[in-house]
Amino acid sequence: MKAAALSDLPEEGAVLGTEVEGRRVALARVDGEVYAFADNCSHRDFPLSVGEVDPVSCTVTCEWHGAAFDIRTGEPTCPPAFRPIAVYAVKVEDSEVWVELA
Ligand code: FES
C-alpha cells in the first residue's frame, strides 16, 4: 500500500506519521533507507511520529516519557517501554514509499 512520497521525508532523520489501511504508521528516513513502524508507543500509546529519530543509533524516542525503540527491529532500547512495536517492510519505487502491513 502506498504510504507517502519520498519527498515527504526530505532529510536524514525525518519522521512522518501517516495512516495505512486504517493503521497508524510512522515512516523515518535513516542513512538513505526508509523504515516503517507502528505509530504507537507500546508504553502508553503515544504517537512516535512526534518523537525524535536518532540516525546514529537508528532509534526513535517517544516524546512522552522517553522510551526508545530500534526502528529496524521494533525492540525497546530504553525504558519505560518493555514491549516491542511492530515494524513493517518498506519498498521505495519511483520516489513513492510502499509499506506492507502483513
Ligand atoms: S508513552 Fe511513550 S514512553 Fe510513555
Side-chain angles (χ1 to χ4, degrees), residues 6 16 19 21 25 28 30-32 40-41 44 46 52-53 62 65 73 85 88 90 95 102:
L6 191 56
L16 172 77
E19 208 171 282
E21 290 175 6
V25 173
V30 173
D31 214 9
N40 316 76
C41 181
R44 292 276 189 271
F46 196 71
E52 202 155 304
V53 167
C62 179
H65 311 104
T73 64
I85 55 170
Y88 307 112
V90 174
S95 299

PDB file of all heavy atoms in Angstrom, residues 6 16 19 21 25 28 30-32 40-41 44 46 52-53 62 65 73 85 88 90 95 102:
ATOM      1  N   LEU A   6       8.434   9.942  -1.323  1.00  0.00           N
ATOM      2  CA  LEU A   6       9.767  10.027  -0.726  1.00  0.00           C
ATOM      3  C   LEU A   6      10.091  11.472  -0.341  1.00  0.00           C
ATOM      4  O   LEU A   6      10.767  11.734   0.657  1.00  0.00           O
ATOM      5  CB  LEU A   6      10.814   9.479  -1.707  1.00  0.00           C
ATOM      6  CG  LEU A   6      12.205   9.255  -1.156  1.00  0.00           C
ATOM      7  CD1 LEU A   6      12.183   8.325   0.060  1.00  0.00           C
ATOM      8  CD2 LEU A   6      13.120   8.699  -2.230  1.00  0.00           C
ATOM      9  N   LEU A  16       7.613  10.870   9.838  1.00  0.00           N
ATOM     10  CA  LEU A  16       6.295  11.277   9.356  1.00  0.00           C
ATOM     11  C   LEU A  16       5.254  10.282   9.849  1.00  0.00           C
ATOM     12  O   LEU A  16       5.447   9.072   9.734  1.00  0.00           O
ATOM     13  CB  LEU A  16       6.319  11.275   7.812  1.00  0.00           C
ATOM     14  CG  LEU A  16       4.995  11.479   7.097  1.00  0.00           C
ATOM     15  CD1 LEU A  16       4.609  12.953   7.126  1.00  0.00           C
ATOM     16  CD2 LEU A  16       5.089  11.003   5.641  1.00  0.00           C
ATOM     17  N   GLU A  19      -1.310   7.117   7.760  1.00  0.00           N
ATOM     18  CA  GLU A  19      -2.233   6.015   8.010  1.00  0.00           C
ATOM     19  C   GLU A  19      -2.209   5.090   6.816  1.00  0.00           C
ATOM     20  O   GLU A  19      -2.257   5.547   5.676  1.00  0.00           O
ATOM     21  CB  GLU A  19      -3.643   6.579   8.228  1.00  0.00           C
ATOM     22  CG  GLU A  19      -4.481   5.700   9.113  1.00  0.00           C
ATOM     23  CD  GLU A  19      -5.785   6.364   9.485  1.00  0.00           C
ATOM     24  OE1 GLU A  19      -5.757   7.235  10.374  1.00  0.00           O
ATOM     25  OE2 GLU A  19      -6.815   6.020   8.885  1.00  0.00           O
ATOM     26  N   GLU A  21      -4.102   1.653   5.470  1.00  0.00           N
ATOM     27  CA  GLU A  21      -5.217   0.717   5.686  1.00  0.00           C
ATOM     28  C   GLU A  21      -5.800   0.865   7.094  1.00  0.00           C
ATOM     29  O   GLU A  21      -6.043  -0.117   7.785  1.00  0.00           O
ATOM     30  CB  GLU A  21      -4.758  -0.723   5.441  1.00  0.00           C
ATOM     31  CG  GLU A  21      -4.480  -0.997   3.963  1.00  0.00           C
ATOM     32  CD  GLU A  21      -3.909  -2.384   3.716  1.00  0.00           C
ATOM     33  OE1 GLU A  21      -3.822  -3.193   4.651  1.00  0.00           O
ATOM     34  OE2 GLU A  21      -3.546  -2.649   2.560  1.00  0.00           O
ATOM     35  N   VAL A  25       0.855   4.500  11.092  1.00  0.00           N
ATOM     36  CA  VAL A  25       2.206   4.045  10.745  1.00  0.00           C
ATOM     37  C   VAL A  25       3.131   5.257  10.735  1.00  0.00           C
ATOM     38  O   VAL A  25       2.752   6.334  10.254  1.00  0.00           O
ATOM     39  CB  VAL A  25       2.213   3.364   9.355  1.00  0.00           C
ATOM     40  CG1 VAL A  25       3.627   3.045   8.894  1.00  0.00           C
ATOM     41  CG2 VAL A  25       1.360   2.094   9.372  1.00  0.00           C
ATOM     42  N   ALA A  28      10.335   6.755   8.774  1.00  0.00           N
ATOM     43  CA  ALA A  28      11.533   7.528   9.112  1.00  0.00           C
ATOM     44  C   ALA A  28      12.615   7.245   8.086  1.00  0.00           C
ATOM     45  O   ALA A  28      12.726   6.135   7.556  1.00  0.00           O
ATOM     46  CB  ALA A  28      12.018   7.176  10.514  1.00  0.00           C
ATOM     47  N   VAL A  30      16.570   7.072   7.430  1.00  0.00           N
ATOM     48  CA  VAL A  30      17.871   6.948   8.089  1.00  0.00           C
ATOM     49  C   VAL A  30      18.856   6.336   7.113  1.00  0.00           C
ATOM     50  O   VAL A  30      18.607   5.257   6.564  1.00  0.00           O
ATOM     51  CB  VAL A  30      17.782   6.076   9.366  1.00  0.00           C
ATOM     52  CG1 VAL A  30      19.163   5.817   9.939  1.00  0.00           C
ATOM     53  CG2 VAL A  30      16.893   6.730  10.406  1.00  0.00           C
ATOM     54  N   ASP A  31      19.961   7.034   6.910  1.00  0.00           N
ATOM     55  CA  ASP A  31      21.031   6.506   6.075  1.00  0.00           C
ATOM     56  C   ASP A  31      20.533   6.137   4.670  1.00  0.00           C
ATOM     57  O   ASP A  31      20.905   5.103   4.111  1.00  0.00           O
ATOM     58  CB  ASP A  31      21.642   5.276   6.764  1.00  0.00           C
ATOM     59  CG  ASP A  31      23.139   5.191   6.481  1.00  0.00           C
ATOM     60  OD1 ASP A  31      23.680   6.156   5.921  1.00  0.00           O
ATOM     61  OD2 ASP A  31      23.737   4.152   6.794  1.00  0.00           O
ATOM     62  N   GLY A  32      19.639   6.952   4.137  1.00  0.00           N
ATOM     63  CA  GLY A  32      19.122   6.723   2.787  1.00  0.00           C
ATOM     64  C   GLY A  32      18.028   5.679   2.709  1.00  0.00           C
ATOM     65  O   GLY A  32      17.419   5.494   1.659  1.00  0.00           O
ATOM     66  N   ASN A  40       2.579   4.002  17.471  1.00  0.00           N
ATOM     67  CA  ASN A  40       2.024   3.928  18.816  1.00  0.00           C
ATOM     68  C   ASN A  40       3.122   3.425  19.744  1.00  0.00           C
ATOM     69  O   ASN A  40       3.579   2.298  19.589  1.00  0.00           O
ATOM     70  CB  ASN A  40       0.894   2.896  18.924  1.00  0.00           C
ATOM     71  CG  ASN A  40      -0.073   2.946  17.771  1.00  0.00           C
ATOM     72  OD1 ASN A  40       0.237   2.478  16.691  1.00  0.00           O
ATOM     73  ND2 ASN A  40      -1.225   3.500  18.010  1.00  0.00           N
ATOM     74  N   CYS A  41       3.474   4.226  20.692  1.00  0.00           N
ATOM     75  CA  CYS A  41       4.423   3.757  21.705  1.00  0.00           C
ATOM     76  C   CYS A  41       3.780   2.608  22.478  1.00  0.00           C
ATOM     77  O   CYS A  41       2.596   2.667  22.822  1.00  0.00           O
ATOM     78  CB  CYS A  41       4.766   4.912  22.640  1.00  0.00           C
ATOM     79  SG  CYS A  41       5.954   4.459  23.921  1.00  0.00           S
ATOM     80  N   ARG A  44       2.363   3.848  26.461  1.00  0.00           N
ATOM     81  CA  ARG A  44       1.037   4.442  26.712  1.00  0.00           C
ATOM     82  C   ARG A  44       0.378   4.914  25.423  1.00  0.00           C
ATOM     83  O   ARG A  44      -0.366   5.888  25.440  1.00  0.00           O
ATOM     84  CB  ARG A  44       1.135   5.627  27.674  1.00  0.00           C
ATOM     85  CG  ARG A  44       1.520   5.311  29.078  1.00  0.00           C
ATOM     86  CD  ARG A  44       0.310   4.881  29.917  1.00  0.00           C
ATOM     87  NE  ARG A  44       0.656   4.794  31.294  1.00  0.00           N
ATOM     88  CZ  ARG A  44       1.137   3.682  31.884  1.00  0.00           C
ATOM     89  NH1 ARG A  44       1.315   2.589  31.177  1.00  0.00           N
ATOM     90  NH2 ARG A  44       1.423   3.687  33.167  1.00  0.00           N
ATOM     91  N   PHE A  46       1.319   6.579  22.775  1.00  0.00           N
ATOM     92  CA  PHE A  46       1.571   7.934  22.290  1.00  0.00           C
ATOM     93  C   PHE A  46       2.142   7.850  20.879  1.00  0.00           C
ATOM     94  O   PHE A  46       2.892   6.917  20.576  1.00  0.00           O
ATOM     95  CB  PHE A  46       2.568   8.632  23.226  1.00  0.00           C
ATOM     96  CG  PHE A  46       2.619  10.114  23.057  1.00  0.00           C
ATOM     97  CD1 PHE A  46       1.574  10.915  23.472  1.00  0.00           C
ATOM     98  CD2 PHE A  46       3.730  10.721  22.471  1.00  0.00           C
ATOM     99  CE1 PHE A  46       1.620  12.285  23.317  1.00  0.00           C
ATOM    100  CE2 PHE A  46       3.784  12.094  22.313  1.00  0.00           C
ATOM    101  CZ  PHE A  46       2.729  12.880  22.740  1.00  0.00           C
ATOM    102  N   GLU A  52      11.615  11.862  18.301  1.00  0.00           N
ATOM    103  CA  GLU A  52      12.855  12.198  17.594  1.00  0.00           C
ATOM    104  C   GLU A  52      13.576  10.938  17.138  1.00  0.00           C
ATOM    105  O   GLU A  52      13.702   9.980  17.906  1.00  0.00           O
ATOM    106  CB  GLU A  52      13.754  12.980  18.544  1.00  0.00           C
ATOM    107  CG  GLU A  52      14.761  13.800  17.791  1.00  0.00           C
ATOM    108  CD  GLU A  52      15.229  14.982  18.611  1.00  0.00           C
ATOM    109  OE1 GLU A  52      14.384  15.774  19.049  1.00  0.00           O
ATOM    110  OE2 GLU A  52      16.439  15.086  18.817  1.00  0.00           O
ATOM    111  N   VAL A  53      14.029  10.974  15.892  1.00  0.00           N
ATOM    112  CA  VAL A  53      14.789   9.849  15.358  1.00  0.00           C
ATOM    113  C   VAL A  53      16.273  10.160  15.459  1.00  0.00           C
ATOM    114  O   VAL A  53      16.710  11.250  15.078  1.00  0.00           O
ATOM    115  CB  VAL A  53      14.376   9.564  13.902  1.00  0.00           C
ATOM    116  CG1 VAL A  53      15.366   8.627  13.229  1.00  0.00           C
ATOM    117  CG2 VAL A  53      12.978   8.958  13.860  1.00  0.00           C
ATOM    118  N   CYS A  62      10.315   8.307  22.211  1.00  0.00           N
ATOM    119  CA  CYS A  62       8.959   8.794  22.463  1.00  0.00           C
ATOM    120  C   CYS A  62       9.025  10.110  23.226  1.00  0.00           C
ATOM    121  O   CYS A  62       9.762  10.230  24.212  1.00  0.00           O
ATOM    122  CB  CYS A  62       8.186   7.738  23.255  1.00  0.00           C
ATOM    123  SG  CYS A  62       6.503   8.250  23.649  1.00  0.00           S
ATOM    124  N   HIS A  65       7.431   9.902  27.628  1.00  0.00           N
ATOM    125  CA  HIS A  65       8.229   9.513  28.803  1.00  0.00           C
ATOM    126  C   HIS A  65       9.644   9.061  28.442  1.00  0.00           C
ATOM    127  O   HIS A  65      10.369   8.558  29.291  1.00  0.00           O
ATOM    128  CB  HIS A  65       7.556   8.384  29.584  1.00  0.00           C
ATOM    129  CG  HIS A  65       6.109   8.615  29.886  1.00  0.00           C
ATOM    130  ND1 HIS A  65       5.095   7.981  29.201  1.00  0.00           N
ATOM    131  CD2 HIS A  65       5.513   9.441  30.776  1.00  0.00           C
ATOM    132  CE1 HIS A  65       3.923   8.394  29.668  1.00  0.00           C
ATOM    133  NE2 HIS A  65       4.146   9.276  30.619  1.00  0.00           N
ATOM    134  N   THR A  73      14.043  -3.126  14.188  1.00  0.00           N
ATOM    135  CA  THR A  73      13.524  -4.357  14.784  1.00  0.00           C
ATOM    136  C   THR A  73      12.270  -4.143  15.619  1.00  0.00           C
ATOM    137  O   THR A  73      11.547  -5.093  15.910  1.00  0.00           O
ATOM    138  CB  THR A  73      14.582  -4.984  15.704  1.00  0.00           C
ATOM    139  OG1 THR A  73      14.823  -4.074  16.802  1.00  0.00           O
ATOM    140  CG2 THR A  73      15.884  -5.227  14.952  1.00  0.00           C
ATOM    141  N   ILE A  85       7.499  -2.660  19.391  1.00  0.00           N
ATOM    142  CA  ILE A  85       6.488  -2.122  18.488  1.00  0.00           C
ATOM    143  C   ILE A  85       6.598  -2.893  17.167  1.00  0.00           C
ATOM    144  O   ILE A  85       7.640  -3.474  16.868  1.00  0.00           O
ATOM    145  CB  ILE A  85       6.679  -0.609  18.244  1.00  0.00           C
ATOM    146  CG1 ILE A  85       8.104  -0.319  17.738  1.00  0.00           C
ATOM    147  CG2 ILE A  85       6.354   0.186  19.490  1.00  0.00           C
ATOM    148  CD1 ILE A  85       8.309   1.104  17.232  1.00  0.00           C
ATOM    149  N   TYR A  88       7.408  -2.731   9.794  1.00  0.00           N
ATOM    150  CA  TYR A  88       6.818  -3.162   8.528  1.00  0.00           C
ATOM    151  C   TYR A  88       7.836  -3.094   7.391  1.00  0.00           C
ATOM    152  O   TYR A  88       8.731  -2.238   7.402  1.00  0.00           O
ATOM    153  CB  TYR A  88       5.617  -2.270   8.188  1.00  0.00           C
ATOM    154  CG  TYR A  88       4.603  -2.170   9.300  1.00  0.00           C
ATOM    155  CD1 TYR A  88       4.410  -0.977   9.980  1.00  0.00           C
ATOM    156  CD2 TYR A  88       3.857  -3.278   9.690  1.00  0.00           C
ATOM    157  CE1 TYR A  88       3.496  -0.871  11.015  1.00  0.00           C
ATOM    158  CE2 TYR A  88       2.938  -3.193  10.722  1.00  0.00           C
ATOM    159  CZ  TYR A  88       2.764  -1.988  11.381  1.00  0.00           C
ATOM    160  OH  TYR A  88       1.864  -1.905  12.406  1.00  0.00           O
ATOM    161  N   VAL A  90       9.261  -2.149   3.836  1.00  0.00           N
ATOM    162  CA  VAL A  90       9.148  -0.927   3.027  1.00  0.00           C
ATOM    163  C   VAL A  90       9.801  -1.153   1.677  1.00  0.00           C
ATOM    164  O   VAL A  90      10.855  -1.786   1.570  1.00  0.00           O
ATOM    165  CB  VAL A  90       9.857   0.262   3.722  1.00  0.00           C
ATOM    166  CG1 VAL A  90       9.880   1.489   2.820  1.00  0.00           C
ATOM    167  CG2 VAL A  90       9.186   0.590   5.034  1.00  0.00           C
ATOM    168  N   SER A  95      10.149   6.991  -6.431  1.00  0.00           N
ATOM    169  CA  SER A  95      10.010   8.059  -5.423  1.00  0.00           C
ATOM    170  C   SER A  95       8.723   7.952  -4.596  1.00  0.00           C
ATOM    171  O   SER A  95       8.265   8.938  -4.023  1.00  0.00           O
ATOM    172  CB  SER A  95      10.091   9.444  -6.073  1.00  0.00           C
ATOM    173  OG  SER A  95      11.335   9.606  -6.692  1.00  0.00           O
ATOM    174  N   ALA A 102       1.438  -6.731   6.488  1.00  0.00           N
ATOM    175  CA  ALA A 102       1.331  -8.121   6.943  1.00  0.00           C
ATOM    176  C   ALA A 102       2.592  -8.571   7.657  1.00  0.00           C
ATOM    177  O   ALA A 102       3.680  -8.123   7.361  1.00  0.00           O
ATOM    178  CB  ALA A 102       1.081  -9.032   5.758  1.00  0.00           C
TER     179      ALA A 102
END
